[in-house]
């Protein structure tokens, strides 16, 4: 409707796409923050390809994340994750949603810093818990007290996620609202970076 009345006014998605240029957009944050769901939605609005690193890891290994953890352990999973992300970031621009531990790994974080704009979806414990407790495919949460495990991971990881270029609060509102806030944050970040270079 708006497009018909104001045909030349770019949409939020088009403005964010122009701001991103040739860079990848990389979602980081804890399990349940919405990286996979919001990442896919944002990619659609930007008109860019979307890839979820966990899905890509499962595709190349022909195993589920749980099977990989069980068969080879977390260290091997991280090594595979680093290799997959390095490859994905080489041929952008695309939207990449990482698994929650990717940005915590120093080697992977350096690749992300080099290969694109990182965006932290920052959510509080209750929001995360509400979302993750509905499914049991996350091996790190198969503990006696998964909510406490999630809380411990928050304590350890949040200072590292805070190193991301952009952060957006992921909360209990419709996904479209968060996706639009992500697009606005990309535009804002690029404008600030440009004015710093003036
Ligand atoms: N804003 C939101 N409102 C409601 N549900 C959401 C929202 N964001 C994500 N979800 C849901 O929460 C669950 C976890 O999201 P997901 O994207 O898998 O998180 P992550 O990839 O960060 O672990 C999914 O079922 C997803 O659809
Ligand atoms: O936080 C983590 O270390 C992990 C998060 C998961 O991805 P999501 O954050 O998409 O759930 C997945 O990569 C794996 O279970 C390990
Ligand atoms: Mg995910």
């Amino acid at each position: 409707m708006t497009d018909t009345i104001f045909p030349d006014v770019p949409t939020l998605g088009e403005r964010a796409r122009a701001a991103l240029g040739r860079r990848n957009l990389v979602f980081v944050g804890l399990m349940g923050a919405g990286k996979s769901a919001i990442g896919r939605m944002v990619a659609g609005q930007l008109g860019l390809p979307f890839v979820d690193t966990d899905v890509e890891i499962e595709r190349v290994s022909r195993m589920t994340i749980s099977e990989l953890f069980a068969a080879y352990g977390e260290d091997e999973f991280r090594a595979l994750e680093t290799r997959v992300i390095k490859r994905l970031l080489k041929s952008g621009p695309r939207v990449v949603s990482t698994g929650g531990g990717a940005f915590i790994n120093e080697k992977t974080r350096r690749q992300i810093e080099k290969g694109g704009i990182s965006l932290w979806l920052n959510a509080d414990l209750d929001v995360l818990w509400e979302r993750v407790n509905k499914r049991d495919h996350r091996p790190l949460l198969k503990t006696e007290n998964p909510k406490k495990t999630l809380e411990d991971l928050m304590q350890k990881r949040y200072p590292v996620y805070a190193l991301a270029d952009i952060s957006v609060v992921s909360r209990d509102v419709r996904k479209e609202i968060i996706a639009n806030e992500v697009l606005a944050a990309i535009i804002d970040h690029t404008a600030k970076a440009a004015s710093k270079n003036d």
Side-chain angles (χ1 to χ4, degrees):
M1 183 80 154
T2 313
D3 282 354
T4 327
I5 300 170
F6 305 109
D8 298 330
V9 178
T11 63
L12 192 60
E14 286 165 347
R15 286 169 55 212
R17 176 69 193 85
L20 198 59
R22 305 242 7 110
R23 294 171 294 182
N24 294 291
L25 175 66
V26 186
F27 281 85
V28 305
L30 205 54
M31 294 172 270
K35 304 178 295 296
S36 302
I38 304 295
R40 178 179 295 281
M41 194 172 272
V42 166
Q45 281 164 297
L46 290 172
L48 283 178
F50 170 71
V51 61
D52 188 294
T53 64
D54 283 339
V55 173
E56 183 63 10
I57 289 167
E58 291 184 335
R59 192 182 69 78
V60 297
S61 68
R62 298 186 197 183
M63 292 169 91
T64 66
I65 302 295
S66 289
E67 286 166 352
L68 276 168
F69 266 73
Y72 302 112
E74 183 171 352
D75 287 353
E76 279 301 311
F77 171 77
R78 295 297 168 207
L80 179 56
E81 187 174 51
T82 304
R83 286 205 299 278
V84 164
I85 291 177
K86 185 176 183 183
R87 174 170 58 77
L88 291 175
L89 292 176
K90 258 192 203 149
S91 53
R94 50 162 66 101
V95 176
V96 179
S97 289
T98 62
F103 199 65
I104 307 305
N105 181 288
E106 210 182 319
K107 204 167 165 190
T108 311
R109 189 166 66 251
R110 270 192 259 115
Q111 286 169 359
I112 295 173
E113 280 161 0
K114 242 184 18 198
I117 295 188
S118 51
L119 189 146
W120 174 26
L121 283 182
N122 174 0
D124 71 28
L125 181 62
D126 289 333
V127 167
L128 296 172
W129 177 244
E130 247 333 284
R131 292 180 188 164
V132 299
N133 81 18
K134 296 194 176 108
R135 293 194 59 193
D136 69 348
H137 67 294
R138 294 180 170 95
L140 290 182
L141 297 180
K142 285 181 181 146
T143 61
E144 289 228 325
N145 186 346
K147 191 171 180 185
K148 170 81 170 64
T149 305
L150 199 57
E151 194 175 8
D152 291 346
L153 282 172
M154 279 182 80
Q155 300 288 341
K156 263 198 248 156
R157 291 179 172 185
Y158 274 30
V160 184
Y161 293 141
L163 299 171
D165 296 314
I166 305 177
S167 62
V168 168
V169 176
S170 176
R171 53 202 191 281
D172 200 8
V173 295
R174 285 189 306 116
K175 290 176 202 169
E176 287 77 4
I177 294 179
I178 307 293
N180 279 347
E181 288 182 8
V182 165
L183 296 173
I186 295 167
I187 296 165
D188 190 48
H189 170 77
T190 308
K192 276 193 192 132
S195 71
K196 252 193 223 160
N197 292 333
D198 277 350

